[in-house]
Amino acid sequence: MREVAIIGVGAHATGQFTEKALKDLAYTAIWNTLDDAGAEPSDINVAYVGNSLGGLLTGQEGVRGQVVLQHSGITGIPVINVENACASAATALRGAWLEVASGAADVALAVGVEKMFVGDSARTISALSAVSEVDLSEMGMQFTTSYAIHPKINLKGKMAEYGWTSADFAKPAVKNSFNGSLNPLAQHRRPLSIEQVVQSRIVVDPLTLFMCASISDGAAAAIVCPVEMAPRFTSKLPVRIASCVLRSGMYRLPDDGFTDSATVSAQAAYEEAGIGPDDLNAIELHDAMAPAELMLYERLGLCAPGEGPRLIDEGITTLSGRIPVNPSGGLCSRGHPVGATGLLQIAELVWQMRGEAGARQIEKRPKVTMAQNQGGLLLGQDSAVYGVTILKT
Amino acid sequence: MREVAIIGVGAHATGQFTEKALKDLAYTAIWNTLDDAGAEPSDINVAYVGNSLGGLLTGQEGVRGQVVLQHSGITGIPVINVENACASAATALRGAWLEVASGAADVALAVGVEKMFVGDSARTISALSAVSEVDLSEMGMQFTTSYAIHPKINLKGKMAEYGWTSADFAKPAVKNSFNGSLNPLAQHRRPLSIEQVVQSRIVVDPLTLFMCASISDGAAAAIVCPVEMAPRFTSKLPVRIASCVLRSGMYRLPDDGFTDSATVSAQAAYEEAGIGPDDLNAIELHDAMAPAELMLYERLGLCAPGEGPRLIDEGITTLSGRIPVNPSGGLCSRGHPVGATGLLQIAELVWQMRGEAGARQIEKRPKVTMAQNQGGLLLGQDSAVYGVTILKT
Amino acid sequence: MNILHPSSIFVPTDAKQTPCLLGARCDECATVVFPKMPVCPACQTNGSMREVQIGRTGKLFSHTIARFAPKGFVAPFFQVFVDLPEGPRIFALVGAECPVEAGVLEDGMDMRLVLEPLADTPENSDLLTYKYVPAGRPEQRTSGHA
Amino acid sequence: MNILHPSSIFVPTDAKQTPCLLGARCDECATVVFPKMPVCPACQTNGSMREVQIGRTGKLFSHTIARFAPKGFVAPFFQVFVDLPEGPRIFALVGAECPVEAGVLEDGMDMRLVLEPLADTPENSDLLTYKYVPAGRPEQRTSGHA
Ligand SMILES: [Zn+2]
Ligand SMILES: [Zn+2]
């Protein structure tokens, strides 16, 4: 397999863009990426397009990728439409990586795009539930519930087990809202206090509104090619994909003793990249509910069980810390347009690694970074999909 | 890249299966395939799952692959949900091929599944339209219309241009209904006469009901591995994937002189496989509307423009002919569960190549075969996606 | 009344029967799952799963009150996970007889199955499903089979 | 009345104006497309496309009568492709003033644009779109801007 580099990234801002269709959002991300890479549409050999809700929310099924690429002037090439809940864009990147790593293509485009504001938020919420197993969504189960009480994370249970408080749950939201306030592409740019987060409306006990990612439109893209081909396109620092891991969840039986799938997928990514958690200089992770960040700290190997809040208290994961987490603002502040999120994370990491992140630039440019995603709940008591990508300069 | 062999195929029958959900249909196809290959769930390293309408018709978005695989006992592995209109399953096979060819995986599973009977055929027809660009489907454009008058095929225009008659249009339907009558997995098993096809109700002038594929439930799957690994699993004849080509349509301007994309994609597949149309011993092609088969004969290089009906008249493409086309019965008789069709074609070809096709077995076992798919209409006046796979023993 | 997941619920047809869930038990390894599956998720055997009646009682594993409702539901409402004595840990809603207030449910408490409409909304009031209520609450007649 | 694809249609606001389509023309290679796109499909230039008024007339490229209607439409109805003098060949419906009968339309005939409701159905009767009718038919007042 060839070593693969990301030579261009780009994004559409996240937020509410009432007048814009899927293809308008994607166009901005795609052409920002082409321009960033110094590439033309004719350079692209193959494209992977991730989207999750376009069929239910916009009426466009089946060929969403071809529709958005045609609008951006890219036609005739192989287009693979991929869908993997909140990891759809991560799946698109993995596809592009495999095309180039294998030699099937020299230059591959990965796009993630989502249009969630369609004038009826009840419809959007229902569509979001449909990315979990329909047997569960039919019974009224929502993502928020699953974070609150689902056996695999059970944040409410962690309050008893770890002694975590509502203020602890608010800490990642507060940290990330500060990061997001520095990000011109972010949906929510207001820095929040612990009090504001704790006192916002309860959505599902113990989660409050400001702990939850909101509805969002957005798009992001990346172009990859063999490392040695990168200078043909751009003089910018090529960012290598050290590992790009995708896993589905296990069927969990109570007390089966299985390691959590977020841990399993992260360990696979570390192993493939030949690094460990201590080598990471920055992380973008899946804080669809902000307190999940605390759980992910331990599952990604950053701390021992229950020590999550300490990492924020001691400033370790803040923007100026040893290993900044969610410098973009994360899902709650930067925004979580479901099918775009994985590539929004990648774009942020590439900007940070190049030193192009503006006001939120990590002072010491990160050399090794991780993007982490998960999504979709199954009857088997696990998330459907886990994606972990490790980047290196 | 490693040479890849199909070591197992399997299918669920096509037709109306009111009591069965997506995961039930997929289960039958997956386990028939595992059993055919002599493989266990734990042998599968990665799975690609194609489906096109599950979100709109069953409410299951996002993680359809994980849902159906969990039900079949396959969890934990990378699962890539792919969607490409009528070529979704062909796209799944291409993904599985690339995983194995590249060495990323040793054993890969491709699944295609579709549930179209949901108790409301108007809803199904609308969902089908949604796999074309939404700007067109919103205006009432349907697949039937597109075959009748769309510039890229314009069957009505071919009556003037080539002198084709309604009876000519019926010929592929008649031939394929005979083949389908011999196929226990087929949805429609009644052999039709020219008169019956011509005199069935007009759907869209000049296309009649029996010229059109109908709504269908179904599923199919294939397992692939490196050719040299095949004997570890099965003593059956391994069927090599000689080429697996996927293309999207071009943006067509009137009189731009571009070669038709079906031709372009077939030529690419021939070239990659190092063969020409004369080397083919059997073909499964995309006759969503039966008369399209006549056009595809010329686009795949089997005959000169306008000569399609002659190939049937002379028995060249019948089951006993030199190059049988749609031995399974094709989309109109075997059935066209959209997201499963590409792998139903592959399964048929593998059975024919192994000599396992029962009453419809091609007498001289084919050694080189082709599966061809296309689907989804774009504003740019072309189908969104074209898939061509060439198999060799 | 229609049943939300008919193959997952046993609905009594006479007064001597009690409702329960229909799970599946593996002949090979005795794993019990809910809902039924054709392949054992523990030992991956195909065809080893037999239908079993389960879930008449359970213990509350976790619970929350959802303050926002998806389409077809009414907030606030309880959402819970219940550990069944036969093995599975399942997602469930809580019977209407149980007031939706903090302190009413406690993790670890004994629960008992009831059948009732999915939600008191136009979309779901005619759709029968299983729910759980604290076992200590006085038994009421559950909705019959329509 | 709402407009189906508002960015694709110019709807007159006074009696001196006539309706037309809004396409885009490439500054680099003069290609005209409909609907508008930000990138030229012929020369792949980004940002070279300018809005142009097109499609007041056209020539019928092909036509058929659909005998079955998707949701929101009424069969039988004409479906056609029209060659616009500015370049594009577009899918269109045919104005209600034109009787849906074989022989009424003929490929190659001159057509003229009208604006009218998408279909005479509850879903679509309040949704304005472009259609074509044979140019020879006497002109009628097209629906105004709501
Ligand atoms: Zn077992
Ligand atoms: Zn141009």
Side-chain angles (χ1 to χ4, degrees):
Chain A
M1 302 274 252
R2 303 191 288 185
E3 204 176 14
V4 177
I6 298 174
I7 56 167
V9 291
H12 187 288
T14 44
Q16 178 167 2
F17 299 94
T18 306
E19 299 299 312
K20 294 203 179 187
L22 268 185
K23 55 187 170 190
D24 301 315
L25 298 167
Y27 159 74
T28 301
I30 290 169
W31 273 89
N32 284 351
T33 303
L34 285 166
D35 290 344
D36 187 51
E40 302 285 334
S42 59
D43 292 318
I44 307 297
N45 303 142
V46 60
Y48 282 71
V49 181
N51 172 267
S52 209
L53 308 174
L56 292 174
L57 292 181
T58 74
Q60 183 65 65
E61 266 300 339
V63 295
R64 287 166 264 175
Q66 288 88 343
V67 165
V68 306
L69 290 166
Q70 168 191 253
H71 195 64
S72 291
I74 299 173
T75 61
I77 60 171
V79 174
I80 296 93
N81 295 291
V82 295
E83 190 170 331
N84 244 336
C86 304
S88 295
T91 303
L93 180 70
R94 181 182 176 280
W97 162 78
L98 182 59
E99 296 280 344
V100 172
S102 68
D106 282 335
V107 183
L109 171 67
V111 180
V113 57
E114 204 70 73
K115 174 75 193 166
M116 297 176 73
F117 280 104
V118 292
D120 177 357
S121 60
R123 206 155 68 80
T124 301
I125 301 295
S126 292
L128 259 177
S129 296
V131 309
S132 287
E133 188 153 0
V134 66
D135 301 59
L136 294 169
S137 48
E138 283 169 345
M139 291 187 66
M141 178 137 172
Q142 296 169 282
F143 273 113
T144 42
T145 320
S146 71
Y147 279 87
I149 58 165
H150 192 287
K152 72 178 278 292
I153 178 155
N154 194 8
L155 288 167
K156 189 152 174 270
K158 293 294 176 294
M159 299 179 95
E161 186 182 350
Y162 291 157
W164 286 353
T165 63
S166 192
D168 287 328
F169 284 174
K171 286 171 185 167
V174 170
K175 168 180 73 68
N176 295 342
S177 71
F178 172 76
N179 298 352
S181 76
L182 304 175
N183 184 353
L185 292 172
Q187 180 170 16
H188 303 293
R189 274 171 261 170
R190 184 163 62 113
L192 299 168
S193 68
I194 296 275
E195 292 66 35
Q196 284 172 314
V197 175
V198 169
Q199 285 161 20
S200 61
R201 287 185 301 172
I202 293 175
V203 174
V204 170
D205 174 40
L207 302 174
T208 66
L209 189 66
F210 290 159
M211 295 178 191
C212 306
S214 55
I215 291 173
S216 185
D217 299 334
I223 293 175
V224 297
C225 75
V227 170
E228 56 275 18
M229 205 179 281
R232 277 199 227 166
F233 292 97
T234 174
S235 58
K236 290 187 174 179
L237 189 68
V239 172
R240 289 172 299 142
I241 298 177
S243 59
C244 198
V245 162
L246 188 68
R247 291 283 186 278
S248 52
M250 305 294 291
Y251 191 102
R252 305 271 158 181
L253 299 159
D255 312 316
D256 58 15
F258 288 169
T259 305
D260 180 84
S261 298
T263 304
V264 170
S265 51
Q267 280 171 345
Y270 287 134
E271 191 175 329
E272 217 174 294
I275 66 157
D278 289 345
D279 298 310
L280 291 174
N281 308 133
I283 299 174
E284 285 276 312
L285 58 74
H286 203 77
D287 63 327
M289 308 295 138
E293 183 170 319
L294 303 176
M295 288 302 293
L296 284 169
Y297 287 167
E298 54 189 79
R299 289 175 180 176
L300 302 183
L302 304 182
C303 67
E307 292 192 352
R310 183 181 59 80
L311 265 57
I312 299 178
D313 292 343
E314 297 180 2
I316 293 170
T317 56
T318 57
L319 205 50
S320 55
R322 185 173 58 77
I323 175 168
V325 172
N326 286 329
S328 71
L331 278 61
C332 290
S333 295
R334 193 265 331 285
H336 181 29
V338 177
T341 291
L343 281 159
L344 284 167
Q345 294 178 325
I346 295 293
E348 175 69 12
L349 294 176
V350 169
W351 289 323
Q352 292 286 355
M353 294 168 89
R354 288 182 184 159
E356 296 177 350
R360 68 191 186 284
Q361 178 64 46
I362 297 166
E363 202 173 316
K364 188 173 171 201
R365 270 175 22 189
K367 289 175 183 304
V368 183
T369 66
M370 171 190 278
Q372 189 272 348
N373 273 148
Q374 59 196 69
L377 269 163
L378 299 185
L379 282 172
Q381 307 281 27
D382 201 347
S383 290
V385 54
Y386 294 83
V388 182
T389 304
I390 294 177
L391 304 178
K392 280 188 187 177
T393 52
Chain B
M1 302 272 252
R2 302 192 290 186
E3 203 175 13
V4 176
I6 299 175
I7 56 166
V9 292
H12 188 287
T14 43
Q16 178 167 2
F17 299 95
T18 306
E19 299 300 311
K20 293 202 178 187
L22 267 186
K23 56 188 171 190
D24 301 314
L25 298 167
Y27 159 73
T28 301
I30 290 168
W31 274 89
N32 285 351
T33 303
L34 286 166
D35 290 344
D36 187 51
E40 300 285 337
S42 58
D43 292 319
I44 307 297
N45 304 143
V46 61
Y48 282 70
V49 181
N51 171 269
S52 209
L53 308 174
L56 293 174
L57 291 180
T58 75
Q60 183 63 65
E61 266 300 339
V63 295
R64 289 167 262 174
Q66 287 88 342
V67 165
V68 306
L69 290 166
Q70 169 191 253
H71 195 65
S72 290
I74 299 173
T75 60
I77 60 171
V79 174
I80 296 95
N81 295 291
V82 294
E83 190 170 332
N84 244 334
C86 304
S88 295
T91 303
L93 180 68
R94 182 183 175 278
W97 161 79
L98 182 59
E99 296 280 344
V100 172
S102 67
D106 282 334
V107 184
L109 171 67
V111 180
V113 57
E114 204 72 71
K115 174 74 192 165
M116 296 175 75
F117 281 104
V118 292
D120 177 357
S121 60
R123 205 154 68 81
T124 302
I125 301 294
S126 292
L128 259 177
S129 296
V131 308
S132 287
E133 188 152 0
V134 66
D135 301 60
L136 294 168
S137 49
E138 283 169 345
M139 291 187 66
M141 180 138 174
Q142 297 169 281
F143 273 113
T144 44
T145 320
S146 70
Y147 279 87
I149 57 164
H150 192 287
K152 71 178 279 293
I153 177 153
N154 195 7
L155 288 166
K156 189 152 174 270
K158 291 295 176 293
M159 300 179 95
E161 186 181 350
Y162 290 159
W164 286 355
T165 63
S166 191
D168 287 329
F169 284 174
K171 286 169 185 170
V174 170
K175 168 181 72 68
N176 295 342
S177 71
F178 173 75
N179 298 353
S181 75
L182 305 174
N183 184 352
L185 293 173
Q187 180 169 17
H188 302 294
R189 275 171 259 172
R190 182 162 63 110
L192 299 168
S193 68
I194 296 274
E195 291 67 36
Q196 284 172 314
V197 175
V198 168
Q199 284 160 21
S200 62
R201 287 184 301 173
I202 294 175
V203 175
V204 169
D205 175 39
L207 301 174
T208 67
L209 190 64
F210 289 160
M211 295 178 191
C212 305
S214 55
I215 290 174
S216 186
D217 298 335
I223 294 175
V224 298
C225 75
V227 171
E228 56 274 16
M229 207 180 280
R232 274 200 229 168
F233 292 98
T234 175
S235 57
K236 290 189 176 181
L237 188 68
V239 172
R240 289 172 298 143
I241 297 176
S243 58
C244 200
V245 162
L246 187 68
R247 291 283 184 278
S248 53
M250 305 294 292
Y251 192 102
R252 304 271 161 183
L253 299 159
D255 313 316
D256 58 15
F258 288 169
T259 305
D260 181 86
S261 298
T263 305
V264 171
S265 51
Q267 282 172 346
Y270 286 133
E271 190 175 328
E272 216 172 294
I275 65 156
D278 290 346
D279 298 311
L280 291 175
N281 309 133
I283 298 174
E284 285 275 313
L285 59 73
H286 201 77
D287 64 326
M289 308 295 137
E293 183 171 320
L294 304 175
M295 289 301 294
L296 284 170
Y297 287 167
E298 54 188 80
R299 290 177 177 175
L300 302 184
L302 306 180
C303 68
E307 291 192 350
R310 183 178 61 79
L311 264 58
I312 300 178
D313 292 342
E314 297 180 1
I316 294 170
T317 57
T318 58
L319 206 50
S320 55
R322 183 173 60 77
I323 175 166
V325 171
N326 286 330
S328 71
L331 278 62
C332 290
S333 295
R334 194 266 329 287
H336 181 31
V338 176
T341 290
L343 280 159
L344 285 167
Q345 295 177 325
I346 294 293
E348 175 68 13
L349 294 175
V350 168
W351 290 323
Q352 292 286 355
M353 294 168 89
R354 288 179 183 164
E356 296 178 349
R360 69 190 186 285
Q361 177 63 46
I362 298 167
E363 203 174 316
K364 189 175 169 199
R365 271 179 18 195
K367 289 178 184 304
V368 184
T369 66
M370 171 191 278
Q372 188 271 348
N373 272 149
Q374 59 196 67
L377 270 164
L378 299 187
L379 282 172
Q381 308 283 26
D382 202 348
S383 290
V385 54
Y386 294 83
V388 182
T389 304
I390 293 178
L391 304 178
K392 281 188 187 179
T393 53
Chain C
M1 193 176 283
N2 293 312
I3 303 172
L4 177 56
H5 298 124
S7 67
S8 290
I9 308 182
F10 170 70
V11 180
T13 49
D14 70 51
K16 276 174 280 181
Q17 300 169 322
T18 53
C20 67
L21 302 180
L22 299 172
R25 183 178 180 282
C26 177
D27 281 347
E28 296 294 321
C29 75
T31 296
V32 177
V33 298
F34 178 83
K36 289 177 280 191
M37 292 166 65
V39 182
C40 175
C43 70
Q44 274 81 47
T45 308
N46 183 23
S48 64
M49 305 303 282
R50 308 273 164 256
E51 184 175 289
V52 283
Q53 298 198 343
I54 60 171
R56 287 190 170 86
T57 64
K59 268 191 197 304
L60 194 65
F61 170 78
S62 59
H63 71 283
T64 188
I65 297 174
R67 301 282 168 186
F68 291 86
K71 227 166 140 55
F73 294 83
V74 183
F77 66 124
F78 276 121
Q79 303 199 339
V80 305
F81 281 85
V82 177
D83 282 332
L84 307 186
E86 298 85 0
R89 175 175 293 160
I90 67 169
F91 175 73
L93 300 176
V94 169
E97 63 194 86
C98 188
V100 186
E101 289 160 19
V104 169
L105 297 183
E106 202 172 326
D107 292 349
M109 78 194 303
D110 288 319
M111 306 293 280
R112 127 182 98 72
L113 181 135
V114 296
L115 298 187
E116 60 180 61
L118 180 57
D120 186 18
T121 60
E123 298 95 328
N124 290 331
S125 61
D126 198 41
L127 205 51
L128 195 71
T129 192
Y130 58 91
K131 299 189 179 182
Y132 282 85
V133 293
R137 296 191 70 81
E139 189 147 359
Q140 301 185 346
R141 284 310 313 154
T142 58
S143 306
H145 186 200
Chain D
M1 192 176 284
N2 292 312
I3 304 173
L4 176 55
H5 298 125
S7 66
S8 290
I9 309 182
F10 170 70
V11 180
T13 49
D14 69 53
K16 278 174 278 183
Q17 299 170 324
T18 53
C20 66
L21 303 180
L22 299 172
R25 184 179 180 280
C26 178
D27 282 346
E28 296 292 323
C29 75
T31 296
V32 176
V33 298
F34 177 82
K36 289 176 279 188
M37 292 165 65
V39 182
C40 175
C43 71
Q44 274 82 46
T45 308
N46 183 23
S48 64
M49 305 303 282
R50 306 275 163 256
E51 183 175 290
V52 282
Q53 298 198 346
I54 60 172
R56 289 191 167 87
T57 65
K59 269 190 195 305
L60 194 64
F61 170 78
S62 61
H63 72 283
T64 188
I65 298 175
R67 301 282 170 185
F68 291 86
K71 225 164 141 58
F73 294 83
V74 182
F77 66 123
F78 277 121
Q79 302 199 340
V80 304
F81 281 85
V82 178
D83 282 331
L84 306 186
E86 297 86 358
R89 176 176 292 160
I90 68 167
F91 175 74
L93 300 174
V94 169
E97 63 193 87
C98 189
V100 185
E101 290 160 20
V104 169
L105 297 183
E106 204 174 324
D107 291 350
M109 79 195 301
D110 289 321
M111 305 293 280
R112 129 182 99 70
L113 181 135
V114 296
L115 298 187
E116 59 179 63
L118 180 57
D120 187 18
T121 61
E123 297 95 328
N124 290 331
S125 61
D126 197 42
L127 205 50
L128 195 71
T129 192
Y130 57 92
K131 298 188 180 181
Y132 282 85
V133 293
R137 296 191 69 83
E139 188 149 358
Q140 302 184 347
R141 284 310 315 154
T142 57
S143 304
H145 186 200

